[in-house]
Amino acid sequence: MDFNTSTSVPLLLLLLLLGFSKAHDDNDQGAVHDLSMDQSAKEDFTATILRMNNGSSDFLLEGDVMIPNTRNAMKCINEPYSCLWPKSANGYVEIPFILSEKYDYSEKTLILAAMRGFQSKTCVRFIPRATQRAYLSIEPRYGCSSLLGYTGDKQVLSLQRYGCINNGIIQHEMLHALGFYHEHTRSDRDQYIRINWENINKYFVYNFRKMDTDNLNTPYDYSSVMHYGRTAFGTQRQETITPTYDPSATIGQREGLSNIDIFRINKLYRCWGFSG
């Protein structure tokens, strides 16, 4: 074969550069994944969610609630029972779902385990989708987020890999899908927490607006998996939410459903015979 130096050398250099670029990208991706998991282990779930959602092209109310295109986002406030998943004839609230094949075995196992956490103490049942029109599509899109409540159609619950696959975060987003807002926006929150407005990033002040919520005659819950942490949306990680009723309370826990979270699910969905 005739070796043409003028054409082969540039081609060889191009191939070497492409190989280096791919190796560099792969190494960076692994480093980012490792860094993300290391950070997640050290921070409360609020910081993880906000970090994972940073740069999202979606407008996210309160950091991780997607605004539906098909209805007013405030509908769950003004008409709270219009966004509940319907009950089946068997008395269970059956929520069809599809779990993306892009997740690996261990990630699928964690997501399914988080679902089972609802099953043992509430009437909520996550069931594989057959032909139902309304269902949850759990996908590794950018960030950790969910639509609020039942929309009557396909609704995406985003759980990005390497950051959002944590029991508390998964159950937090599933509670949004069931129709629950964050605890720190409850209508009676000023009796239990102080919002440090001066410490909030000015672009995210709207995330602390109180909602006209139906609190279901349940106590304010510092331990709720729906409660954001002390430094949520803070400039330079300053404290934005200060517990006042119990100053030493831990808020922003990432373990999973609290007893009051469970009680509220049962009360909102009228799960007779279940208890938290």
Side-chain angles (χ1 to χ4, degrees):
M1 179 182 292
D2 181 37
F3 185 84
N4 188 326
T5 305
S6 64
T7 58
S8 298
V9 170
L11 178 60
L12 179 61
L13 287 172
L14 177 61
L15 291 173
L16 286 171
L17 285 171
L18 286 173
F20 173 78
S21 175
K22 184 179 187 305
H24 181 72
D25 287 345
D26 288 345
N27 288 337
D28 279 355
Q29 187 178 30
V32 168
H33 292 168
D34 291 342
L35 177 62
S36 179
M37 288 187 284
D38 287 345
Q39 284 180 283
S40 296
K42 297 174 183 176
E43 62 194 7
D44 67 43
F45 88 97
T46 307
T48 303
I49 289 175
L50 299 182
R51 175 169 54 79
M52 296 300 294
N53 291 347
N54 185 29
S56 172
S57 60
D58 295 311
F59 177 79
L60 299 173
L61 183 67
E62 298 177 14
D64 67 335
V65 181
M66 293 176 65
I67 304 301
N69 295 321
T70 55
R71 60 172 168 80
N72 186 332
M74 297 297 102
K75 192 170 185 180
C76 277
I77 297 173
N78 299 328
E79 303 172 40
Y81 296 102
S82 66
C83 64
L84 299 187
W85 289 80
K87 253 188 179 178
S88 302
N90 60 16
Y92 293 116
V93 178
E94 295 182 335
I95 302 178
F97 74 92
I98 290 178
L99 188 55
S100 172
E101 289 301 319
K102 293 180 181 179
Y103 293 114
D104 63 27
Y105 175 80
S106 63
E107 291 165 337
K108 288 179 180 178
T109 298
L110 286 169
I111 294 169
L112 293 172
M115 290 179 172
R116 287 195 298 272
F118 288 82
Q119 198 161 295
S120 60
K121 294 183 178 180
T122 78
C123 65
V124 173
R125 298 290 182 271
F126 293 94
I127 61 171
R129 184 203 179 208
T131 59
Q132 298 93 333
R133 176 177 176 176
Y135 64 98
L136 284 182
S137 180
I138 304 171
E139 304 175 11
R141 294 192 183 187
Y142 191 96
C144 328
S145 61
S146 173
L147 285 165
L148 183 71
Y150 174 78
T151 66
D153 209 336
K154 172 186 174 179
Q155 56 194 86
V156 173
L157 193 152
S158 178
L159 295 172
Q160 185 177 340
R161 304 178 68 192
Y162 312 107
C164 301
I165 311 301
N166 162 274
N167 188 69
I169 291 175
I170 297 166
Q171 292 187 340
H172 177 100
E173 299 305 338
M174 288 178 173
L175 277 173
H176 281 318
L178 284 167
F180 289 91
Y181 276 95
H182 295 122
E183 191 76 355
H184 77 275
T185 61
R186 268 177 61 140
S187 59
D188 62 350
R189 61 105 183 271
D190 291 335
Q191 300 174 43
Y192 304 95
I193 59 173
R194 181 179 68 251
I195 303 300
N196 303 311
W197 299 100
E198 70 280 5
N199 294 340
I200 301 170
N201 184 309
K202 64 181 181 179
Y203 298 106
F204 300 114
V205 168
Y206 66 89
N207 292 301
F208 292 84
R209 183 180 60 177
K210 276 192 297 188
M211 298 296 184
D212 183 16
T213 53
D214 177 0
N215 300 321
L216 302 170
N217 292 319
T218 60
Y220 192 90
D221 185 14
Y222 288 134
S223 66
S224 173
V225 77
M226 302 306 285
H227 205 306
Y228 266 12
R230 289 177 181 258
T231 61
F233 299 100
T235 56
Q236 299 180 339
R237 293 194 58 77
Q238 295 183 87
E239 187 165 287
T240 57
I241 304 175
T242 301
T244 53
Y245 185 79
D246 180 3
S248 64
T250 298
I251 57 175
Q253 63 91 1
R254 58 188 291 120
E255 297 306 312
L257 298 172
S258 71
N259 288 336
I260 296 177
D261 287 331
I262 294 166
F263 180 66
R264 283 183 190 143
I265 296 168
N266 288 329
K267 194 160 187 179
L268 184 62
Y269 279 92
R270 301 176 183 179
C271 300
W272 313 127
F274 291 86
S275 61

